[in-house]
Structures are given as structure tokens and as C-alpha cells.
Amino acid sequence: MSEAVIKVENLSVAYKDDQILSDISLSIEKGKIYSIIGPNGCGKTTLIRAMSRNLKPSGGSVFLEGRNIFRTNTKLVARKMAVLGQSNSCMTDVSVVTLVRYGRFAHKKWWEGQRSDDEKIVEWALEKTATAELRDRKLNSLSGGERQRALIAMAVAQKPEVLLLDEPTTYLDISHQLEIMELVRRLNSEDGITIVMVLHDMNHAARYSDELIVLRDKKIYRQGDPWKVISDGILEDVFRVEAEIMRDKETEKPVFYAKRVVKK
């Protein structure tokens, strides 16, 4: 077993009297890709927000490389972990290269300007995400797929060990969804970044992930290899669909299509 870069222990989250997550425990191993899946309203976004310390839990702890994330300096966390949430409407009037430079702030003292090594990393992030040709474009002039790649460029400019993504393909057409998923795979395979993402498309989750984490009824229903998770029972119990499951010839991962809704 690889080293755990993130450990979640007995995590619970509640909004007033509404319990969203209850007693969640899991380990994220270094160098893997994880996808969190589950029906709408099951707490996927809540879990990723708590794991990134953007939401304080009502109980339990999150550890990043052995340190309690809620008791660790913000910049230290940002040097290890980058987060890209669902809502990224900020700074639409800035250029792509300016946005990506913001990713270097976690590595600088408050009085420092941009250093030459920062600029090298910014250029690397632009090239890595295929946004170099967009460098002088304003965010509000970009397509959805281009903007998402620019935001990921800002995140990877932090040079994080862990990247958390909340529904990175939402509202994108099929070709741009595949662009983002292939980019995620390259960041993992070529740069060793551990990825944890929330996905709605379960076929994407199965194809691109080492492990799937299924949420249901405020808890982890199952976690493991896609073949262990994607089964008739899971699809019926969690997603209320009857489906045909096949083997993808290219990836050897499971792929399925839903045939009908299961009445419960």
C-alpha cells in the first residue's frame, strides 16, 4: 500500500439541524486518481470542501501528510494542495497569464514580487494545460473548456502534491470534457499529482480513476477499484438504474449504459 497523503477520520458535517455527512473515514494514497460519485444531494461537494478545509466539520479530522489541516498554516496547506471548486466566476476581466501567476502566491512572502523561477513555473503551467496561446486573452472571452484549462493552470502553478477538483467537466460539451479528463490523467501520470475529484459522469470516473468512492445516506457506501464498485447492485441500490456493464477494450475498465429506472 502506498503512503496516505490525506486521511479523513470520523468526519461529520451538519448545516444547523441537517446532517450532511456522518462518520466518514477514508485514506487517499499518494500518486492515485480518486473520483467521488453518488446521487444528487449525497454530500460529494461537502466532502471535498471539508477535505480542502473550505468547510469546517462538526466532528472528526482531516490530515494532510500527517498534519491536521485545520491547525496548519494556510500557505503551508496551499503549497501541498490546490483546490478548484464548482463556482469560479472570479476575476473574469484578467488575462490568463495573470490568473496563472496567482497560483504562485502560496510560495512567496507578502513583500516579494515575481521571481524568475516563478515565471518558469507559470510558463510550465501554461504549456502543460495547452493555454500558452491564450496567455493574453481575458477570461471572459474564453470558451468554457478554455476557461477550465486556465483555472487548472492556475492550480497546478502552485506545484501541489494534491489537486482537488469539484465537477471539473460540468457544463462542458463532450470534446471539452475529454480534454479536461485527459489533462487530469497527464497531471497524474507525468507529474505525480494525486487527484481527488467529484464527477457526475460515472463512465468518466471509472475510465480515469484508480479508485471510486461512492457516497450514499451520508456515508461511504463503497470504495475501491472501478471493477469492484461498478456492479449491478451498486447501480440499482445507489443510482436506481438497471444497466448493462461491459469492458472497455482500450482501458480494460468497466463502462455501462443505463437501460431503465428501477422503481424502489
Side-chain angles (χ1 to χ4, degrees):
M1 181 179 289
S2 301
E3 177 187 355
V5 64
I6 297 176
K7 288 197 76 172
V8 177
E9 295 184 353
N10 308 115
L11 184 79
S12 295
V13 178
Y15 295 117
K16 296 184 179 179
D17 296 328
D18 189 9
Q19 191 76 29
I20 308 300
L21 296 175
S22 179
D23 200 29
I24 298 279
S25 293
L26 60 90
S27 291
I28 301 299
E29 294 181 22
K30 192 171 185 177
K32 285 188 173 184
I33 299 178
Y34 294 79
S35 287
I36 302 170
I37 60 175
N40 288 343
C42 70
K44 300 184 295 294
T45 291
T46 298
L47 177 56
I48 210 125
R49 289 187 66 206
M51 288 172 64
S52 62
R53 85 170 204 174
N54 285 313
L55 180 65
K56 190 171 182 180
S58 53
S61 303
V62 179
F63 297 92
L64 176 62
E65 293 188 336
R67 294 184 175 185
N68 189 316
I69 200 169
F70 295 99
R71 299 175 186 169
T72 304
N73 178 274
T74 299
K75 279 201 169 185
L76 289 178
V77 173
R79 289 171 190 170
K80 297 283 186 180
M81 175 190 289
V83 185
L84 192 58
Q86 286 184 43
S87 178
N88 293 290
S89 58
C90 60
M91 303 174 293
T92 58
D93 197 39
V94 302
S95 67
V96 169
V97 69
T98 299
L99 177 77
V100 177
R101 284 178 181 140
Y102 292 152
R104 298 304 302 153
F105 284 0
H107 297 270
K108 302 157 74 68
K109 300 289 193 289
W110 66 267
W111 64 84
E112 286 184 313
Q114 200 76 355
R115 305 183 302 252
S116 60
D117 57 336
D118 290 320
E119 282 302 307
K120 288 178 182 177
I121 292 169
V122 167
E123 293 303 320
W124 167 82
L126 289 167
E127 291 293 336
K128 192 75 187 179
T129 56
T131 52
E133 64 182 22
L134 306 173
R135 59 183 300 121
D136 297 320
R137 295 263 304 273
K138 296 290 183 70
L139 256 65
N140 55 20
S141 73
L142 303 181
S143 70
E146 290 170 338
R147 184 180 298 191
Q148 193 72 334
R149 281 189 283 123
L151 289 163
I152 293 175
M154 177 183 65
V156 300
Q158 289 179 221
K159 296 293 282 185
E161 296 178 21
V162 182
L163 177 59
L164 304 184
L165 302 167
D166 190 3
E167 298 187 24
T169 60
T170 299
Y171 307 125
L172 300 183
D173 61 33
I174 294 173
S175 65
H176 287 119
Q177 288 179 31
L178 288 174
E179 280 183 1
I180 296 301
M181 296 310 301
E182 288 295 330
L183 172 56
V184 166
R185 176 151 62 186
R186 290 196 304 274
L187 291 170
N188 173 258
S189 63
E190 297 173 5
D191 302 288
I193 300 175
T194 304
I195 310 284
V196 184
M197 54 187 169
V198 170
L199 287 178
H200 269 298
D201 190 314
M202 289 173 56
N203 282 324
H204 281 166
R207 180 183 179 91
Y208 290 96
S209 304
D210 297 298
E211 291 194 26
L212 303 179
I213 300 167
V214 184
L215 294 186
R216 192 186 81 160
D217 297 334
K218 305 168 186 156
K219 296 178 180 291
I220 293 179
Y221 184 81
R222 191 169 296 177
Q223 177 178 350
D225 172 271
W227 273 112
K228 293 180 180 178
V229 170
I230 301 295
S231 67
D232 292 335
I234 290 281
L235 295 171
E236 289 193 17
D237 291 347
V238 177
F239 297 96
R240 296 178 51 246
V241 295
E242 181 183 330
E244 182 167 343
I245 303 169
M246 299 161 287
R247 184 181 297 271
D248 186 299
K249 293 180 181 179
E250 181 182 345
T251 65
E252 298 297 314
K253 297 285 187 72
V255 62
F256 75 94
Y257 71 89
K259 296 193 291 188
R260 60 184 63 87
V261 173
V262 176
K263 301 294 185 181
K264 292 285 185 178

